[in-house]
Amino acid sequence: RIDKETLFGPEIRAAIDAQIAKYPPEWKQSAVMAALTIVQDANGGWLTTELMDRVAAYLDMPPIAVYEVATFYSMYDLKPQGRHKVCVCNSISCMLNGSEALIAHVEHQYGVKPGEISADGRFTLKEVECLGACRDAPVVLIDKVYHERLTPEALDRLIEGLD
Ligand code: FES
């Protein structure tokens, strides 16, 4: 996590600079998604307005353009999160293959609805759009790791294993 003092400190800037370096100088705004991911990860999994503004300034973008990216993609969160994110795909292939049962199971077992944090702060349950792994539906993304063809029991074991 980063606090105000270290917000956009050398480490964060270096990580963003490495992303900017992948593009021609006049296209540095192309690094916006990577930059948002870097600062979100450093901030415990969510973006504050201040952080988005800092990204905008760093990439010479209007803040509104950064807010649009951050609100469009489900991997960005604009409010505090649990220590982990359990993202259940609810698009068509996953829905047809049991994603609703996965969500219902987590709701019942842990008392959390999509968008909520578990009482122990361990995880946020999120419903997300297609994760691009439909062939192996239902798919759950936990933090940055894909878990495929999950049953409620298998998801339960994964959640139990979270710190
Ligand atoms: Fe779930 Fe595509 S529908 S991964």
Side-chain angles (χ1 to χ4, degrees), residues 89 91-94 130-134 139:
C89 173
S91 291
I92 190 73
S93 297
C94 288
C130 182
L131 291 164
C134 324
V139 181

Side-chain angles (χ1 to χ4, degrees), residues 40-150:
Q40 175 169 274
D41 286 351
N43 190 47
W46 69 291
L47 293 164
T48 61
T49 305
E50 185 185 357
L51 276 173
M52 291 187 282
D53 289 347
R54 297 294 295 261
V55 167
Y58 202 67
L59 298 178
D60 296 328
M61 293 174 72
I64 185 73
V66 175
Y67 303 161
E68 278 170 7
V69 173
T71 51
F72 182 78
Y73 292 99
S74 64
M75 70 248 226
Y76 303 116
D77 290 292
L78 305 186
K79 57 182 190 181
Q81 299 292 301
R83 290 192 295 284
H84 302 276
K85 292 180 189 176
V86 175
C87 305
V88 181
C89 173
N90 68 356
S91 291
I92 190 73
S93 297
C94 288
M95 197 188 280
L96 292 174
N97 283 283
S99 64
E100 288 183 333
L102 294 178
I103 289 169
H105 179 76
V106 177
E107 283 185 1
H108 174 76
Q109 192 78 2
Y110 299 93
V112 265
K113 291 191 178 3
E116 293 179 354
I117 303 174
S118 61
D120 58 5
R122 192 155 29 137
F123 69 95
T124 301
L125 176 63
K126 293 180 67 176
E127 262 184 287
V128 298
E129 299 295 318
C130 182
L131 291 164
C134 324
R135 216 178 55 160
D136 295 309
V139 181
V140 176
L141 179 67
I142 300 186
D143 299 326
K144 299 195 178 195
V145 181
Y146 281 73
H147 301 276
E148 295 157 347
R149 300 182 195 225
L150 276 185

